[in-house]
Amino acid sequence: FHADDGIRDCLRGLVGSEMCIRDRVSSIPGTTRDSVDVTLSFRGRQVTLVDTAGIRKKARVSGAEEKLSVSMAIKQIERSAVAVLLLDATAGIGAQDAAIAGHVARSGRGVIVAVNQGALVADRSHQGARELVRQMKTRLRFLEYAPMILVSALEGTRVVKLLDQALAIEERWRARVSTSRLNSLLEHWVGEKPPPRSKGRAVKIYYGTQVASRPPVFKLFVNTGAKLYFSYERYLVNRIREAFDFEGVPIKLVTAERKQRRAR
């Protein structure tokens, strides 16, 4: 988990205690200095939750100790399989939130955006939720694949749902897909929307395969000198995500030239 100090209340709701954090945290938001690991059994699995060091807005960060806590928090994100970006609904999405979200995306972790605001959960008009969705589409558009869950840390609302979602994303993050199934769909996607020409040449995608997981990486073999434009890569990534249920998981697409067979 990556979050600010409010996640402690969510964790208490899950483990039913004050845990081991009373001597390591402050009541002032954003001032927890150390990351805290909590291991619990959930749905028959051992799960480790990490409450990261508090990360305050850049204007409020001062001193070597505070900078160190930011550095340590980023390292904890890289330890994780799934990062939960906890946002304050009353504060909206700030520059620091967007910066941390960008690091989560670049690190290849699975991700959930959790919005901590009890009043927002009870808001039947959903105006606050719609405003946050609008902000996500503009400021966090690179995390459009991440599910958003409204939680109340103090009341424990939807905290169990949050953890269920995290476990599901962790499984997808590790998943591998069938090469034959991928290529069957790839042929259909390319036939439905052929790739744009590159430097005046037609682009041919011969086949694809998954070459890694955690996160999933797919390699497409193309004709010599061909280049897939970003918009087309995004089209294929979205199709892969929909077809193989990779919600909450970053997908990387790479291309390689298919070696030409020598004529005999």
Side-chain angles (χ1 to χ4, degrees):
F1 276 65
H2 160 68
D4 208 336
D5 295 317
I7 199 66
R8 296 196 312 275
D9 296 303
C10 292
L11 301 184
R12 290 187 186 112
L14 286 170
V15 302
S17 72
E18 290 290 313
M19 303 182 297
C20 59
I21 63 177
R22 280 175 291 184
D23 296 330
R24 304 176 70 182
V25 301
S26 165
S27 60
I28 303 172
T31 56
T32 303
R33 292 286 183 249
D34 300 323
S35 295
V36 181
D37 287 18
V38 180
T39 300
L40 66 149
S41 178
F42 183 81
R43 308 293 193 207
R45 295 181 57 181
Q46 290 295 111
V47 178
T48 298
L49 308 178
V50 181
D51 177 18
T52 67
I55 300 176
R56 293 184 285 182
K57 295 184 183 301
K58 288 183 178 180
R60 300 178 183 177
V61 176
S62 61
E65 186 177 6
E66 188 71 35
K67 292 177 181 179
L68 179 61
S69 71
V70 173
S71 177
M72 290 174 61
I74 289 175
K75 288 182 180 179
Q76 297 307 316
I77 293 171
E78 294 172 349
R79 276 181 59 204
S80 67
V82 179
V84 177
L85 183 66
L86 186 68
L87 302 176
D88 181 353
T90 60
I93 300 173
Q96 187 71 286
D97 297 318
I100 294 299
H103 181 82
V104 171
R106 290 190 298 273
S107 68
R109 308 301 105 174
V111 61
I112 301 172
V113 176
V115 180
N116 180 25
Q117 179 52 262
L120 198 60
V121 175
D123 178 13
R124 295 185 178 181
S125 70
H126 302 295
Q127 291 181 357
R130 282 196 290 267
E131 172 59 20
L132 277 165
V133 170
R134 186 194 67 78
Q135 289 188 32
M136 280 189 64
K137 288 181 178 179
T138 56
R139 306 209 67 176
L140 303 183
R141 57 184 177 274
F142 52 87
L143 285 184
E144 62 182 359
Y145 58 88
M148 185 178 79
I149 299 179
L150 305 181
V151 301
S152 172
L154 291 175
E155 298 176 5
T157 306
R158 295 179 179 159
V159 174
V160 172
K161 179 180 179 181
L162 178 66
L163 195 50
D164 275 328
Q165 182 73 278
L167 292 181
I169 290 174
E170 191 267 347
E171 290 183 1
R172 298 172 194 141
W173 186 65
R174 297 177 180 274
R176 284 187 172 271
V177 305
S178 162
T179 298
S180 59
R181 175 64 175 158
L182 172 65
N183 281 283
S184 175
L185 290 171
L186 187 61
E187 183 179 3
H188 172 72
W189 297 329
V190 172
E192 192 174 63
K193 183 179 178 179
R197 298 174 71 87
S198 174
K199 296 180 180 179
R201 298 181 56 193
V203 175
K204 296 181 181 180
I205 300 175
Y206 297 112
Y207 66 97
T209 185
Q210 184 177 357
V211 294
S213 60
R214 307 171 56 186
V217 180
F218 295 88
K219 180 179 284 188
L220 303 181
F221 290 87
V222 300
N223 51 318
T224 303
K227 175 180 174 57
L228 293 181
Y229 291 104
F230 174 77
S231 59
Y232 196 76
E233 287 187 354
R234 185 176 179 180
Y235 161 73
L236 291 178
V237 164
N238 287 338
R239 298 291 80 75
I240 291 171
R241 177 168 286 112
E242 292 169 2
F244 298 104
D245 189 21
F246 278 122
E247 183 186 26
V249 178
I251 296 173
K252 185 176 181 180
L253 203 63
V254 296
T255 58
E257 295 180 2
R258 190 181 72 170
K259 294 181 179 180
Q260 299 295 324
R261 296 178 179 178
R262 294 182 179 179
R264 294 183 177 179

